Amino acid sequence: QVQLVESGGGLVQAGGSLRLSCAASGSTDSIYDIHWYRQTPGKRRELVASISRGGSPNYTDFVKGRFTISRDNAKNTVYLQMDSLKPEDTAVYFCNADANEGGDNWDDYWGQGTQVIVSS
């Protein structure tokens, strides 16, 4: 079992920055890739960024190089540094972890979400 707790959301002006954190607990050794998703009312949850167990990042096109995902395995924490924020970045941001504790199946774990509001 893995538990994910997100923090760092809030209200920021356009052009500003926020740093989201996702703290993992439980069977943290089972975690492989970690992803950040976001969701706006009326739209499906969309992938923002991913990071492998070894720290290799990948980003969805709409991020436009403004976001940086990183992880500190010693602290069991993943970060999403968001710079040059735009009003369209307003959403609830979720942390998602791919985990395998043995066996044939992979498990997905989700945080509760943290709200980001970017004012224009």
Side-chain angles (χ1 to χ4, degrees):
Q1 293 290 308
V2 173
Q3 296 80 43
L4 304 174
V5 178
E6 295 144 309
S7 61
L11 175 64
V12 66
Q13 294 181 354
S17 298
L18 284 173
R19 187 177 182 88
L20 307 183
S21 298
C22 174
S25 60
S27 301
T28 56
D29 287 347
S30 70
I31 298 174
Y32 286 79
D33 293 358
I34 299 179
H35 319 274
W36 284 98
Y37 287 79
R38 68 186 187 187
Q39 188 166 24
T40 301
K43 300 190 68 175
R44 66 182 180 182
R45 192 170 297 182
E46 61 186 0
L47 179 65
V48 176
S50 300
I51 189 166
S52 72
R53 199 180 209 180
S56 298
N58 285 285
Y59 302 96
T60 304
D61 289 342
F62 60 75
V63 173
K64 305 295 184 182
R66 299 176 295 118
F67 293 4
T68 303
I69 188 171
S70 61
R71 66 192 293 172
D72 187 337
N73 291 336
K75 296 181 179 179
N76 296 317
T77 302
V78 176
Y79 305 96
L80 185 67
Q81 177 67 42
M82 304 185 296
D83 299 320
S84 301
L85 283 163
K86 304 175 181 180
E88 51 262 44
D89 295 320
T90 296
V92 177
Y93 284 73
F94 297 89
C95 181
N96 165 252
D98 300 331
N100 193 316
E101 300 185 62
D104 297 330
N105 298 116
W106 287 75
D107 295 317
D108 278 352
Y109 295 94
W110 291 88
Q112 80 288 349
T114 184
Q115 188 173 47
V116 172
I117 301 175
V118 183
S119 62
S120 60

